[in-house]
Each structure stands twice: as C-alpha cells, then as structure tokens.
Amino acid sequence: AVFLTKGVGQNDYFDFEHLDGVVGFDRRQYFGSTARSAFTLNQIMTLDSWTAVVRPIVESKYAPLTLVFVAFIFITSYGIIGVMIGTVIKTTWSSISSAKIGTLDT
C-alpha cells in the first residue's frame, strides 16, 4: 500500500491532463493515503470494479506497474482460495468425525 501511495497517489503524472482518454480516474481518491491505498487493494483483491482502478495505470507510461497488480491479484486470489478450501475441508472433517462418533454410540 505504501509503494502505491508513493508511486501513484503522490505522482503528478496520474492527473487527468496526462492520461489521454481516461475519464473519472482520481489518483488521490484511490491512492492518496496509505489507508486509501489499502482499501483500493482490498477492492482489487475482491475484483470489485478493479478495471476502473487498474486500466488507467496500465495504459499510462508506467505500464510496468501492471506486473505489481497482476502479481497482487494472483497471490491474493491463491490465498483466498486456500482459506476457502481449508474451511470446507475442516467443516467436512468435523461432520465426518461427529457422524462416526454417532454411529459408534448406537
């Protein structure tokens, strides 16, 4: 979050006049502070309107930042899927264990 706050939020290049054809991108709204950057990264992680945030940056002269966003999306998606699978497995294992205990009592 700090990297994107410095690289995008406090970089004058990402103002409207430098981004041709981009309407509605406000660098201060998305990356103006560390808290805003963290909230924006959470939005990108959940893929909630992430293209509105990432597209202006990808289409700018700072296109190498694309690698940061792609890596972030892959790593966080992998982590979320791991948590979901772990929860399903734990719940299933608990159900199986309680079912075995119930059949042994009768």
Side-chain angles (χ1 to χ4, degrees):
V2 174
F3 173 74
L4 290 173
T5 302
K6 288 289 190 185
V8 177
Q10 297 175 358
N11 189 342
D12 292 335
Y13 177 78
F14 290 101
D15 284 333
F16 288 115
E17 60 269 7
H18 294 106
L19 300 174
D20 296 331
V22 176
V23 177
F25 181 75
D26 184 9
R27 66 182 170 93
R28 289 175 201 90
Q29 177 186 359
Y30 293 117
F31 300 103
S33 66
T34 305
R36 288 178 183 255
S37 293
F39 184 77
T40 301
L41 288 175
N42 188 33
Q43 177 181 356
I44 293 170
M45 177 182 67
T46 59
L47 301 177
D48 175 38
S49 302
W50 67 280
T51 56
V53 177
V54 175
R55 181 174 298 239
I57 296 169
V58 169
E59 292 178 351
S60 71
K61 74 174 187 176
Y62 290 100
L65 281 176
T66 304
L67 297 174
V68 172
F69 288 113
V70 169
F72 179 77
I73 289 171
F74 279 125
I75 290 169
T76 55
S77 296
Y78 184 74
I80 288 173
I81 289 173
V83 168
M84 290 172 54
I85 289 173
T87 303
V88 168
I89 289 173
K90 181 180 177 184
T91 304
T92 305
W93 193 262
S94 296
S95 298
I96 291 171
S97 296
S98 64
K100 285 182 180 179
I101 291 171
T103 58
L104 292 176
D105 290 341
T106 56

